[in-house]
Amino acid sequence: MEENYEKILWEGYGLRFFGGNRIRTGYLCKTDKEIVEIRKVNIEKNHILFEHELKQHLIKKGFCHISTFLITKENLPYYVLDKDCYVAERPLETQPLDEEEKQTFIIGAKTLSKLHKSAKGLQSKQGYFSGEKRLEKYEKRRIELLKIKKRIEKQSSYTPLDLLIKQNFEYYIEKIEQAKELFHQAQYCDIMQKATIEKTVCHNAFKGENIQQDTNGVIFVTGFGKCSYDSTVVDLALYLRRLLKKQQCDIQTAEKMLCVYEQEMPLSKQDKILLLALLSYPEKFLSLCNEYYNKRRVCISPAMIERMQLCIASIEENEKLLSWLKTI
């Protein structure tokens, strides 16, 4: 395996390999010039190019505290070896912010707003709009849930997961319908058209280990592998879900998050309705249903049941957050 890294570094970047060790995110290599982390990536080359272009755009706009790709001799942000794609980066001397601390989410929301403001206007032929078919996907999941319910009712006996679906079906189908109406009220198509014109970008994984801090307190953002053109409200909704997961329904912190976010990225009335729609839609529940029922799994693991139970257990906290959002 080390022969591969030696070849990648020399042929791709003109660096001599002096050994290294495997880390969770890739392989840390010592070279004749600097320490480099190499990662094998399983995304299309176009998306790597989009991620690279986004990072360069952010730096030009003054959002500089990010990880960037090393460029190969062929002036590319990736190197191909035996049809596999690899990227190389300089490792950051940082640590993830502690999400058990409420202040982390306020700092995160402020950082997210600056990221969104800086990313706005990126012109890239490699980028794609992830929100264009969102409503089609949501409608497909609604139909799937109805089919799952019918399938369960035809069975002579029920699994623990079947019972959880049956007991909570009415609640979740109602949330789907509520979200559908809210997307209509928010004029979702107009929002997507605005995102297309303004070229707004979502990180799509702004949470946990992707929000880092160095010893001087400087915040870095990593993990841009899922970035795409979209309404920035999508990122904000995901981050509020993260707050719900880590801090339950802490309305005071949520209020502060929106306050610092809007200092850079003010939310219109349409944006706030979209935020409510996104948080009303039971994404996690439907994802778990799809993971088991539509993939025809033979047995149900205890972990799967536990994940579904945790999802259902969050209903009360989620409703508190939704009730608050209706007032803003």
Side-chain angles (χ1 to χ4, degrees), residues 134-135 138 175 177-189 191 231 233-234 236-237 240-241 258 262 266-281 321-322 324-328:
R134 181 172 285 116
L135 298 190
Y138 286 179
K175 299 312 292 182
E177 294 299 335
Q178 288 176 2
K180 187 176 180 179
E181 175 58 28
L182 286 166
F183 280 118
H184 176 71
Q185 290 179 24
Q187 298 176 307
Y188 183 77
C189 291
I191 289 175
S231 166
V233 177
V234 174
L236 183 59
L240 283 169
R241 282 194 191 277
L258 282 193
E262 288 199 87
L267 298 172
S268 67
K269 182 179 179 180
Q270 277 183 297
D271 290 333
K272 291 177 180 179
I273 297 173
L274 176 60
L275 182 61
L276 183 59
L278 290 165
L279 289 168
S280 295
Y281 182 78
L321 182 64
L322 294 176
W324 167 69
L325 283 171
K326 291 174 184 177
T327 67
I328 64 174

Side-chain angles (χ1 to χ4, degrees), residues 95-126:
Q95 293 292 329
L97 288 180
D98 184 3
E99 290 191 311
E100 300 305 318
E101 297 289 335
K102 296 178 181 180
Q103 186 64 22
T104 288
F105 287 91
I106 299 167
I107 294 171
K110 187 173 183 178
T111 303
L112 182 62
S113 67
K114 291 180 178 179
L115 170 63
H116 285 161
K117 185 176 181 179
S118 299
K120 189 176 179 180
L122 169 65
Q123 300 291 332
S124 172
K125 294 180 180 179
Q126 314 299 336

Side-chain angles (χ1 to χ4, degrees), residues 65-270:
H65 301 301
I66 55 178
S67 57
T68 56
F69 297 132
L70 270 66
I71 302 302
T72 66
K73 295 176 183 179
E74 296 179 353
N75 200 34
L76 291 171
Y78 60 83
Y79 181 78
V80 179
L81 177 65
D82 298 330
K83 297 183 179 180
D84 291 324
C85 232
Y86 295 85
V87 295
E89 297 175 296
R90 296 178 181 88
L92 298 174
E93 295 183 5
T94 55
Q95 293 292 329
L97 288 180
D98 184 3
E99 290 191 311
E100 300 305 318
E101 297 289 335
K102 296 178 181 180
Q103 186 64 22
T104 288
F105 287 91
I106 299 167
I107 294 171
K110 187 173 183 178
T111 303
L112 182 62
S113 67
K114 291 180 178 179
L115 170 63
H116 285 161
K117 185 176 181 179
S118 299
K120 189 176 179 180
L122 169 65
Q123 300 291 332
S124 172
K125 294 180 180 179
Q126 314 299 336
Y128 72 98
F129 285 84
S130 54
E132 290 181 342
K133 295 186 178 180
R134 181 172 285 116
L135 298 190
E136 291 179 29
K137 173 191 168 185
Y138 286 179
E139 177 62 15
K140 182 180 177 182
R141 287 287 172 87
R142 184 187 72 84
I143 294 170
E144 286 173 353
L145 181 59
L146 293 171
K147 289 180 179 178
I148 288 169
K149 175 74 162 23
K150 287 182 180 179
R151 194 186 312 161
I152 291 172
E153 290 176 339
K154 288 180 180 179
Q155 296 173 169
S156 57
S157 61
Y158 304 130
T159 67
L161 198 59
D162 293 338
L163 289 173
L164 287 171
I165 303 298
K166 277 177 62 67
Q167 291 163 0
N168 295 278
F169 173 81
E170 294 299 333
Y171 170 80
Y172 283 111
I173 202 71
E174 181 180 352
K175 299 312 292 182
I176 293 171
E177 294 299 335
Q178 288 176 2
K180 187 176 180 179
E181 175 58 28
L182 286 166
F183 280 118
H184 176 71
Q185 290 179 24
Q187 298 176 307
Y188 183 77
C189 291
D190 290 348
I191 289 175
M192 285 298 102
Q193 185 177 12
K194 182 181 178 183
T196 303
I197 294 170
E198 295 185 349
K199 295 291 190 296
T200 51
V201 178
C202 271
H203 183 283
N204 291 321
F206 191 83
K207 59 182 181 179
E209 64 185 24
N210 292 328
I211 311 167
Q212 306 259 337
Q213 188 175 41
D214 69 9
T215 54
N216 295 318
V218 178
I219 303 300
F220 286 76
V221 179
T222 62
F224 284 86
K226 295 182 179 180
C227 61
S228 65
Y229 285 122
D230 206 340
S231 166
T232 51
V233 177
V234 174
D235 258 353
L236 183 59
L238 287 171
Y239 200 44
L240 283 169
R241 282 194 191 277
R242 188 71 176 180
L243 172 73
L244 198 66
K245 180 178 179 179
K246 292 295 182 177
Q247 296 286 338
Q248 294 189 318
C249 189
D250 186 343
I251 298 300
Q252 187 176 19
T253 300
E255 287 177 335
K256 291 178 180 177
M257 287 171 67
L258 282 193
C259 181
V260 297
Y261 182 85
E262 288 199 87
Q263 289 174 8
E264 298 282 351
M265 294 288 291
L267 298 172
S268 67
K269 182 179 179 180
Q270 277 183 297

